[in-house]
Amino acid sequence: MEHREMRSWKRVRQIDEDKTMNEQFIVRSLALRIARDIVPNSATAERLIAWGTENAAWLFAGAWPTNEKPDWAHFLAYLQSPLEAEDQRPQVLDLADELGRLLQLVAFDARLLTLMIACDRLPRVADLLNIVAEQIRDLPAVLGEIAGADPVEAGPRVRRSDVLKLGLMTFGIRSRHDNPVEIRWPLSRILDREPAPDRLAEALAGRRQVANLELADFAHVQDASFLVRLLEGAVREQAHGVNILIHGPAGTGKTELARSLAAAAGCALHGIGEADEDGEEPTRNDRVLALLLAQRVMGDRSGAILLFDEMEDLIGGAQRSDGDWFSKREGSKVFVNRLLETNAAPVIWVTNAIGNVDDAILRRMSFVLKLDLPPRRVAHRILKRIINDETGEPGDAIGKLIDQAPETASVLRVATRAARLAGEADCGARAATSLVRALRGGELPLEGFGALDLQLYETDRPLDALFGSIRDLGMADVSLLLTGPPGTGKTALAHHLARILDRPLLVRRASDLLSKWVGETEQNIAGAFEDARRQEGVLLFDEADSLLFDRTNSRTSWEVGQVNEMLTWLDRHPFPVIAATNYRHRLDPASLRRFVFKLDLAPLGPERLVRAFEEFFGMTAPKELEGLRNLTPGDFAVVARQLRYLPPQNALAILEYLRQESLLKPDVGVKIGF
């Protein structure tokens, strides 16, 4: 014969299973279901009746007798009496219903979600569970029955439910009756704030990202337009498994590029599993669950794009090791692979290092983009936009810093804002300098050369026409060999070419590359070319005679090897290369044909001597200047610095300083009779 409490519980469930669950229904259903396992007249039964007496006004709407204490049978009868309409349904239950709709949960899972939220967030439900905790042997089975499952299948069905699979909630440790239901981070951050219904989807999917830059600010990213079209097509056709990986050094604007790509595609971008407004930091598991939730909420319906910044969190437990790698990888490769193959909404993944991303993951990417620091022209355009946003005024100092250190582009916004808040008019130059020093781990590079007058170069070829042609034709695989005595401006000329080509200049001296260890010099040479290729910069080898010396004078095989390494790279490098040396006669003959242009810079002739004097000192050159034959632009620069401390009385006094510089040279260039 069926137990009376079982019949009572079934009757309540049959009456109310089609109604929206309110707090009274949940409390009564829990009490009736648990009563099946309670012995009448036991201590637990007495506590439950006392609890019913205490909450009778709310639970039974005045039907509870006040002059006597009901027995167990009457208590159960009151629990199955008709429900009274509540004055106001708790908002958290309405939120639970909306969550069920957004997550496309089946009816059973939606009811289970509401029940579990009620167990954690409704005080009366929590009190009831505490009173009867010792009688509850299997809370999942209890809630499963209330949600509508057959008693035999209730427990397993709950454990297979999407509520648990999506990581929304879980059940606490059996011995801890004070925490029977545990709400996980992706859901707790929503319940704690209870957003408006129209913002619930965004709260689940992650904070919407706003683009601070336009796609034009990433004109140096050649594949940007392709990525926009890829995202547009993925959203239009609701294609699954579309993933874009953006990687590169910190501060190169990877996240900003992701925002700009989504904006250009006309799609909302949501950041997955990022810290919420309360500063709660998610774990790796939290972020993965947040991604699954976002895919369920957005998926094929909204045309949204998801952003998973710091992709190494997907691997889990990653720690940086030597080089571009992470150690202590965690997580299932199979899980990650399937995740990348089936995601309904496109995902843009961002990471500083891809050394921990194995080939299986890379093969599942729709596109992998390496992003480096923006070129000079783009950095200046970004600066202009940021200054407009911060209502500041442009300044020379920050512009010079961009030219001096490319890393400046990565800190422009925060530095400019700091300047505005501090009331400084330097557009962030002070703050940016401190940040760039920190990023470099040391001092800034020496300030580059200013604007050059190419008419001051004594060569057999007009440099202005040559450099203008290199700039206008846009062919990057150009190489120049600059030779000549010290001070003729070889290094300054390399800086000038990099500036007009709007490419970073990478300077490598012999001391940077030569090593006492066999094979390491070759590795350093290869690394220099690889760095220049990655940054698409102009590579300058200073003191090139130490790297391209005549192999007939070598004494060991490894010396020949380093020259061969240089020659091999010069043959195939696709970007500008400049080699500078004071000793052309020491170069290996085979190296000469590796350079498209060979420019020999000589001391200034009579006409250029006069031009240099007038430009450096702002006065007419004395006639006696023509008697000096070995002066270079560098000598004029040295004398100009001397004049800071010894102001000249006239042009002849300056001429004397120049003559002293001339006499210090081994090839004294004083005309006979001077």
Side-chain angles (χ1 to χ4, degrees), residues 52 101 149 172 189 199 278 312 348 394 418 431 436 543 572 629 667:
R101 286 189 288 270
R189 65 193 182 95
R199 298 191 59 189
D278 299 324
E312 48 269 24
I348 300 178
V436 172
E543 306 165 4
R572 63 187 186 188
R629 298 297 178 83
D667 52 335

Side-chain angles (χ1 to χ4, degrees), residues 453-459 602-616 619-633 636:
D453 181 0
L454 295 181
Q455 297 300 322
L456 290 182
Y457 281 84
E458 197 72 57
T459 64
L604 300 177
E607 292 183 5
R608 288 187 170 83
L609 280 172
V610 172
R611 185 183 185 98
F613 194 96
E614 293 174 349
E615 285 197 10
F616 276 92
M619 59 181 68
T620 303
K623 183 178 180 181
E624 293 84 352
L625 179 64
E626 299 179 3
L628 301 180
R629 298 297 178 83
N630 63 351
L631 291 179
T632 66
F636 282 83

Side-chain angles (χ1 to χ4, degrees), residues 351-659:
T351 182
N352 293 341
I354 63 169
N356 62 325
V357 183
D358 57 40
D359 292 345
I361 293 178
L362 291 178
R363 283 195 297 269
R364 287 167 172 80
M365 291 292 160
S366 306
F367 198 90
V368 178
L369 175 68
K370 175 68 165 61
L371 188 63
D372 283 305
L373 290 168
R376 174 181 170 274
R377 68 180 185 280
V378 175
H380 280 278
R381 186 165 61 241
I382 293 174
L383 173 63
K384 184 178 180 180
R385 182 184 302 279
I386 291 174
I387 289 176
N388 289 335
D389 293 343
E390 296 291 337
T391 63
E393 294 293 333
D396 294 335
I398 190 70
K400 290 180 179 178
L401 188 61
I402 290 175
D403 297 340
Q404 190 177 0
E407 299 93 334
T408 307
S410 67
V411 299
L412 285 175
R413 184 168 292 279
V414 65
T416 306
R417 183 170 183 267
R420 179 179 61 79
L421 294 174
E424 297 227 345
D426 64 353
C427 295
R430 182 196 298 266
T433 300
S434 71
L435 294 170
V436 172
R437 283 199 183 105
L439 292 173
R440 282 178 165 261
E443 288 301 314
L444 298 176
L446 296 176
E447 189 173 351
F449 296 85
L452 287 187
D453 181 0
L454 295 181
Q455 297 300 322
L456 290 182
Y457 281 84
E458 197 72 57
T459 64
D460 59 352
R461 182 190 302 269
L463 292 184
D464 50 355
L466 173 61
F467 279 34
S469 179
I470 293 174
R471 177 196 60 212
D472 297 339
L473 291 176
M475 292 184 289
D477 58 340
V478 64
S479 55
L480 290 83
L481 174 63
L482 306 179
T483 60
T488 48
K490 298 182 289 296
T491 303
L493 201 58
H495 279 266
H496 178 75
L497 179 61
R499 188 181 301 110
I500 66 171
L501 294 180
D502 202 10
R503 296 179 182 272
L505 180 69
L506 289 76
V507 182
R508 298 294 184 269
R509 297 175 178 83
S511 58
D512 299 326
L513 305 176
L514 296 177
S515 171
K516 63 181 179 180
W517 305 110
V518 175
E520 191 167 283
T521 297
E522 288 88 337
Q523 293 179 8
N524 294 339
I525 291 172
F529 279 99
E530 289 169 356
D531 288 344
R533 183 166 188 163
R534 184 175 64 252
Q535 299 184 39
E536 299 184 2
V538 177
L539 181 56
L540 168 63
F541 288 105
D542 213 351
E543 306 165 4
D545 52 283
S546 298
L547 302 168
L548 290 170
F549 56 84
D550 192 339
R551 286 170 290 182
T552 60
N553 297 326
S554 61
R555 292 169 293 180
T556 61
S557 59
W558 56 264
E559 289 180 319
V560 174
Q562 73 182 44
V563 177
N564 291 340
E565 184 77 14
M566 281 286 296
L567 296 177
T568 300
W569 277 100
L570 286 171
D571 277 334
R572 63 187 186 188
H573 188 61
F575 295 104
V577 180
I578 301 174
T581 178
N582 299 336
Y583 309 103
R584 177 172 180 169
H585 62 280
R586 296 182 183 177
L587 297 177
D588 190 279
S591 67
L592 298 179
R593 63 181 177 82
R594 261 69 177 192
F595 295 95
V596 179
F597 297 104
K598 291 161 275 287
L599 303 177
D600 189 34
L601 308 182
L604 300 177
E607 292 183 5
R608 288 187 170 83
L609 280 172
V610 172
R611 185 183 185 98
F613 194 96
E614 293 174 349
E615 285 197 10
F616 276 92
F617 309 121
M619 59 181 68
T620 303
K623 183 178 180 181
E624 293 84 352
L625 179 64
E626 299 179 3
L628 301 180
R629 298 297 178 83
N630 63 351
L631 291 179
T632 66
D635 298 318
F636 282 83
V638 168
V639 171
R641 288 196 294 272
Q642 293 173 0
L643 298 182
R644 300 178 193 169
Y645 311 99
L646 301 171
Q649 296 178 350
N650 50 46
L652 291 177
I654 297 176
L655 177 64
E656 181 59 26
Y657 291 140
L658 290 170
R659 191 174 74 84

Side-chain angles (χ1 to χ4, degrees), residues 39-184:
V39 177
N41 302 320
S42 65
T44 302
E46 292 296 323
R47 287 197 301 270
L48 195 56
I49 293 174
W51 170 84
T53 302
E54 182 181 347
N55 293 278
W58 169 80
L59 188 59
F60 303 114
W64 189 265
T66 58
N67 56 352
E68 61 181 25
K69 180 181 178 181
D71 58 18
W72 184 246
H74 286 93
F75 173 68
L76 295 180
Y78 281 119
L79 283 178
Q80 58 181 309
S81 63
L83 292 173
E84 296 291 337
E86 290 183 287
D87 293 337
Q88 184 175 2
R89 190 171 188 245
Q91 183 178 353
V92 71
L93 295 184
D94 293 334
L95 186 63
D97 293 344
E98 184 63 24
L99 282 170
R101 286 189 288 270
L102 277 175
L103 294 171
Q104 307 175 65
L105 298 178
V106 298
F108 171 82
D109 287 348
R111 289 193 292 268
L112 177 63
L113 175 64
T114 300
L115 287 170
M116 293 183 72
I117 289 176
C119 290
D120 184 84
R121 295 302 168 106
L122 296 183
R124 293 188 182 98
V125 179
D127 289 344
L128 174 61
L129 290 176
N130 287 332
I131 291 172
V132 298
E134 295 179 357
Q135 300 298 319
I136 302 177
R137 298 182 178 87
D138 189 353
L139 182 59
V142 170
L143 297 183
E145 286 190 54
I146 298 175
D150 184 88
V152 177
E153 291 293 327
R157 189 170 178 184
V158 167
R159 294 179 178 90
R160 296 193 304 266
S161 70
D162 282 349
V163 176
L164 271 63
K165 286 181 180 179
L166 290 172
L168 297 171
M169 311 187 75
T170 187
F171 290 94
I173 303 173
R174 287 186 61 184
S175 60
R176 292 183 58 193
H177 299 304
D178 59 336
N179 188 29
V181 172
E182 179 183 346
I183 296 181
R184 305 294 294 274

